[in-house]
Amino acid sequence: VSQIGVRSLSKRRALEISPELLTTDLAEIVLNPNIDIVVELLGGVEPARSLILQAISCGKHIVTANKAVISRHGDEIFTAAKQAGVYVLIEAAVGGGIPIIQPLKQSLGANRITAVMGIVNGTTNYILTKMQTEGADFDAVLAEAQRLGYAEADPTADVDGLDAADKIAILASLAFGERIPLKDIPCEGIRHLSIIDINHADNLGFVVKLLAIASRPHANDALSVRVHPTLVPKTHPLASVNGVYNAILVEGEPIGQVMFFGPGAGAGPTASAVVSDLINIAAILKTHDRNTGDPDEPALNPLLSCPHDSFSKLAPLANLKARFYARLLTEDSPGVIGKIGTCFGEKRVSLESIVQIGLRESQAEIVVVTHTVREGDFRNALTEIKSMSEISDIPTVLRVL
Ligand SMILES: NC(=O)c1ccc[n+]([C@@H]2O[C@H](COP(=O)([O-])OP(=O)(O)OC[C@H]3O[C@@H](n4cnc5c(N)ncnc54)[C@H](OP(=O)(O)O)[C@@H]3O)[C@@H](O)[C@H]2O)c1
């Protein structure tokens, strides 16, 4: 990292940064001839848009997390990038840490996409989940979300669906290979949703989710892109995406359905997406440099080749730390459970529960669930228990997640 542009040089930061890297002069960064890639994380439209265009005109690649600038000005930014021969990568702009941009561009590239739909705004999903699970009203949940920092003081962009519209514009553009006019996306938020409707939907077997949807069922259909609260059947994969989590479901031919799920925001997840873009550009630049270098050394993109060549040493199962379930058939006599418990204890196996379920063919059926223990210790205890005269069989042993 050569330079970091900020608003305030004196602000206390969670990360230790040498002061000479910081500057408030952002033009200095985009004009610096030694910089190959500019990472734009300012947010908002200006000065982000102008700085991105300026950096592109100086031949720099761009990584940005800024959905607002891409959904509004993607047209001029990508046109300029094409002319300048530079990349603009935007993995963090939709779905935070969820890899969705690269999969749409690459891994799913063989498909004709018929729909992309998702829960792409964590704030509204948090509010709807709370309304659903606690029966609380929109205003009360919004106030709580603001107190906890899940919603902005001005929640308009989230609760009116505008942030979701920015994101579906970007996803639709990638999935369907066309630029999307943001202003033409019908957008309905969740302000008007009443707990009465959420309860009725619940009784009918639905949950209410704010979905951003882009669909074109048949190749000749017009593309439909919209954002609105939607009744989702409880059995649908999107119905179980709760709280601040995001998920994006992609439907295509021939793949069918795939769903991407994960943290839609936050410092770590967003950094994961931003740095993956940096790695991608660095790999392309490295391959290019090597291609223009020694003709005898074949140049491979390190992300597409298999660069490692040593075998990993796998941990033996005896050292696995896990929880276990075991079903035992024993004599139906007093003191058996105590004896089993003592044996586990002596082998350092701590039990979460041990219960007699009932009788099976005049044998007592006992089920044991352990805390997290070493598999070797658990197996040693089982061997000893199996040898007890009261134990007739241990038909099942399973690991618990
Ligand atoms: N936060 C997330 O979870 C998340 C997830 C996905 C995408 N994004 C996107 O990432 C971008 C940044 O979001 P954020 O939450 O990280 O915002 P943030 O906390 O407000 O950080 C913005 C950073 O940019 C600097 N900055 C802003 N305007 C500037 C200006 N005019 N001149 C110089 N420096 C300026 C700020 O400097 P100071 O530190 O000096 O104030 C700060 O370091 C946005 O586009 C957002 O949509 C965020």
Side-chain angles (χ1 to χ4, degrees), residues 196-341:
I196 298 172
D197 297 310
I198 288 183
N199 287 340
H200 286 325
D202 184 50
N203 290 334
L204 293 168
F206 298 98
V207 290
V208 182
K209 295 288 183 194
L210 181 70
L211 293 191
I213 305 174
S215 60
R216 178 187 274 158
H218 307 287
N220 295 331
D221 292 348
L223 179 63
S224 163
V225 185
R226 71 256 186 207
V227 173
H228 48 66
T230 313
L231 269 65
V232 179
K234 287 179 185 171
T235 50
H236 190 279
L238 286 170
S240 55
V241 177
N242 289 323
V244 293
Y245 280 92
N246 282 194
I248 297 130
L249 186 88
V250 181
E251 283 177 5
E253 159 63 29
I255 191 168
Q257 289 189 333
V258 269
M259 192 162 96
F260 299 81
F261 167 83
T270 309
S272 162
V274 166
V275 177
S276 78
D277 282 346
L278 278 170
I279 292 170
N280 264 308
I281 297 178
I284 294 165
L285 296 184
K286 189 181 160 102
T287 315
H288 177 79
D289 284 354
R290 287 184 54 198
N291 267 326
T292 51
D294 181 359
D296 293 332
E297 196 186 349
L300 289 176
N301 180 324
L303 294 180
L304 298 177
S305 64
C306 180
H308 45 263
D309 50 17
S310 59
F311 278 93
S312 171
K313 188 170 172 351
L314 301 186
L317 206 51
N319 288 346
L320 176 76
K321 296 235 169 71
R323 292 163 67 208
F324 291 89
Y325 158 102
R327 182 163 61 89
L328 301 88
L329 295 176
T330 77
E331 236 176 45
D332 186 22
S333 58
V336 174
I337 287 190
K339 242 178 127 176
I340 295 169

